[in-house]
Amino acid sequence: MNAIAKVTRLSKVYSGTAAVAGVSFTLEANKIYGLLGRNGAGKTTIMHMLTAQSFPTSGEIAVFGEAPYENDKVLSRICFIKESQKYPDHYRVCDVLRASALFFPNWDADFAERLLADFRLPLKRKVKKLSRGMLSSVGIIVGLASRAPLTIFDEPYLGLDAVARSLFYDRLLEDYAEHPRTVVLSTHLIDEVSQMLEHVLVIDQGRLLLDEDTEDLRGKAFAVSGAAVKLEAFLSGRQALDRQSLGSIGTAVVWSERGAEDRRAAEAAGLELAPVSLQQLVVYLTNGKLQQKAGDAR
Amino acid sequence: MNRTMRVLTLHLRESSLWFLMPWGIMMMSFVVNFIIGLSIEQEQGMYTGGIASLYIYLFVTGIISVAQTFPFLLGFGIRRNDYFIGTSAMVVIVGIVTAALMQAFAALESATGNWGANLHFFDLPYLNDGPWYQQLLIPFALVLNMYYSGLLTGLFNRRFGHFITFTVLVVLAALGGLASALITKYDKWPQIGEWLASQTAFQYSLWALALAVVYAALSYLLLRRATA
């Protein structure tokens, strides 16, 4: 395991309210992470602290083995594309790219130029006059062409059309294959990114609910449906994240550490199995009704 | 090239903002005054405060830095330290260039017999009384003083919000009022007036420079704790 970032019991309190409460996780090199959660869950706050743009109330952060605050060795290896990134008012798209070339050591100007054509961005237009989608494209271009060992995208999809979204997906994976690095995608639009993610961190109300490889996740969560009586029998002693019934037929989403075994048991009991998408799983975990169960599931 | 130098490079690319704009605004004032000077005959000559616009512009530039280049560069992973030093280097360059240009224009003004319009714009009594090195220090000190007071104002506002910033300004004004009431009460105005009048423009510029250093130091402390 090659950890490039380690966060320990990280907390951030804003005037009495905990935006982030005791979060610990590790980011490994050359993986694509999803930092998922609802709006206001604390995702952006965590990323701000990770990049020393705001300060933790308590807890520890080590990025590339060192504290990030005022640390050039750390900061010069991170590219954090904020949803709220400010650009000087008079900056045009080309000015942003020129500044990026100045500040990101691995900047690839040719790649940036190709991306610019892909996303059809007007080079001479003022950033202030760009639509939300175009502004997101600027962030994506900077994030990809900077080739920073730790690249963080905060809500990269905002306002992007379907074509641009799949462009981002394709270019990221292509470039990631050639130049491996650690990528963190923070978003509440989970379906859009779920295929790319190798590992997910789910945050809700400042707490870490889930820290799993997507591969394992697929094994651990599944949906079962069938006659209510059979379903009840199957569910006793097992974790159900969600339950619905229609007449004598019931459906449940099951969380199980022994996924394969439980699946065979469900089949043996005459129940239908179905996969659960990452999006559905996050909804079940964070919709508020299941806080307790989610805690247990962890 | 280290990252402090890169911050300076970024500012140097914005030369139009640091030089063209303030000088353009001031030169418009100059042209207006020049035309007025030509069109009306004035025996004792025309004196203007047109150069003040340049210094006010720099104060505003200081405030704007806090809202524009600082958050931009912090977001791009620049250390607060590098931002401060790189930006300060730019301000010192602006101060030197401004001082040199002001001096050159003052010389041109006296050489051309006040532009043939009896206009005193750059070469002003009192401000340009001392030897050349003193005349150079005055605009330099003013540039630094105005920029850093703007920067400090902007950073203070960013840190503490509009309400507290405004409250502090009101309190400062009230303290000034109180001081002046006390001076009146104890009849100290004549002494103070005498002292104020005895200071040369050069001495004032030294004060301005000292204050600029204080503003810069306070700005640095606020910047080190500034968040995105």
Side-chain angles (χ1 to χ4, degrees), chain B:
Chain B
M1 186 161 62
N2 68 31
R3 284 154 80 86
T4 305
M5 280 303 291
R6 288 170 197 267
V7 173
L8 177 61
T9 308
L10 187 95
H11 285 311
L12 284 168
R13 283 180 188 168
E14 309 282 307
S15 289
S16 61
L17 287 181
W18 291 99
F19 298 111
L20 229 56
M21 282 282 282
W23 278 84
I25 293 167
M26 191 173 69
M27 282 311 186
M28 282 196 306
S29 161
F30 174 78
V31 168
V32 169
N33 280 297
F34 178 68
I35 292 167
I36 295 171
L38 278 183
S39 50
I40 52 171
E41 284 297 321
Q42 284 197 348
E43 275 172 26
Q44 63 278 72
M46 198 167 122
Y47 295 87
T48 85
I51 54 170
S53 71
L54 185 123
Y55 301 113
I56 293 164
Y57 179 93
L58 277 154
F59 174 74
V60 175
T61 305
I63 293 180
I64 287 177
S65 299
V66 179
Q68 309 240 326
T69 48
F70 175 63
F72 169 61
L73 290 176
L74 191 66
F76 266 33
I78 304 307
R79 290 188 304 177
R80 294 158 179 85
N81 213 31
D82 290 328
Y83 178 79
F84 184 80
I85 296 171
T87 305
S88 294
M90 185 67 204
V91 175
V92 168
I93 292 172
V94 171
I96 291 169
V97 171
T98 303
L101 282 172
M102 285 288 193
Q103 195 60 18
F105 274 100
L108 203 62
E109 185 163 298
S110 58
T112 56
N114 297 46
W115 315 103
N118 209 2
L119 172 64
H120 299 260
F121 194 90
F122 295 100
D123 189 16
L124 297 168
Y126 186 66
L127 276 180
N128 298 69
D129 282 350
W132 65 270
Y133 64 89
Q134 293 190 354
Q135 292 189 35
L136 273 177
L137 190 82
I138 293 164
F140 177 79
L142 281 172
V143 164
L144 263 65
N145 186 288
M146 293 307 272
Y147 179 82
Y148 283 113
S149 55
L151 186 69
L152 182 61
T153 308
L155 283 167
F156 190 90
N157 183 58
R158 186 184 176 91
R159 175 75 178 76
F160 298 104
H162 297 312
F163 179 74
I164 292 179
T165 306
F166 187 70
T167 310
V168 165
L169 291 175
V170 169
V171 168
L172 283 177
L175 285 175
L178 184 71
S180 108
L182 287 174
I183 293 165
T184 308
K185 189 178 172 213
Y186 295 104
D187 196 25
K188 296 286 183 200
W189 279 120
Q191 285 102 309
I192 289 173
E194 218 169 276
W195 183 83
L196 287 174
S198 72
Q199 301 281 303
T200 63
F202 175 66
Q203 280 166 310
Y204 277 125
S205 74
L206 291 178
W207 283 108
L209 205 57
L211 273 177
V213 171
V214 172
Y215 297 154
L218 291 173
S219 299
Y220 180 74
L221 292 177
L222 281 172
L223 204 64
R224 292 279 294 188
R225 296 301 297 168
T227 57

Side-chain angles (χ1 to χ4, degrees), chain A residues 166-206:
Chain A
S166 73
L167 258 175
F168 172 49
Y169 174 71
D170 293 343
R171 294 296 173 272
L172 173 63
L173 288 184
E174 281 166 23
D175 201 57
Y176 172 75
E178 275 178 53
H179 305 271
R181 57 196 120 150
T182 306
V183 178
V184 178
L185 294 165
S186 157
T187 182
H188 59 268
L189 299 169
I190 299 157
D191 258 355
E192 304 282 3
V193 292
S194 59
Q195 310 142 276
M196 309 194 227
L197 305 178
E198 292 171 71
H199 193 104
V200 291
L201 300 162
V202 178
I203 307 281
D204 194 47
Q205 297 183 333

Side-chain angles (χ1 to χ4, degrees), chain A residues 48 52-55 69-72 75-76 78 80 82 85-91 95-96 98-105 142, chain B residues 1 3 6-7 9-10 13-14 17 67-69 71-82 158 220 223-228:
Chain A
H48 271 118
Q53 292 182 33
S54 75
F55 309 113
Y69 176 65
E70 292 294 88
N71 189 334
D72 229 8
L75 296 179
S76 63
I78 304 178
F80 175 24
K82 289 191 283 186
Q85 174 65 44
K86 295 239 177 37
Y87 300 100
D89 284 345
H90 59 280
Y91 263 41
D95 296 317
V96 174
R98 281 223 302 165
S100 305
L102 202 54
F103 294 110
F104 295 110
V142 173
Chain B
M1 186 161 62
R3 284 154 80 86
R6 288 170 197 267
V7 173
T9 308
L10 187 95
R13 283 180 188 168
E14 309 282 307
L17 287 181
Q68 309 240 326
T69 48
F72 169 61
L73 290 176
L74 191 66
F76 266 33
I78 304 307
R79 290 188 304 177
R80 294 158 179 85
N81 213 31
D82 290 328
R158 186 184 176 91
Y220 180 74
L223 204 64
R224 292 279 294 188
R225 296 301 297 168
T227 57

Side-chain angles (χ1 to χ4, degrees), chain A residues 25-44:
Chain A
F25 60 84
T26 305
L27 300 179
E28 286 168 39
N30 307 335
K31 261 179 137 174
I32 300 182
Y33 284 83
L35 184 59
L36 312 175
R38 300 177 59 181
N39 285 321
K43 309 185 293 286
T44 305

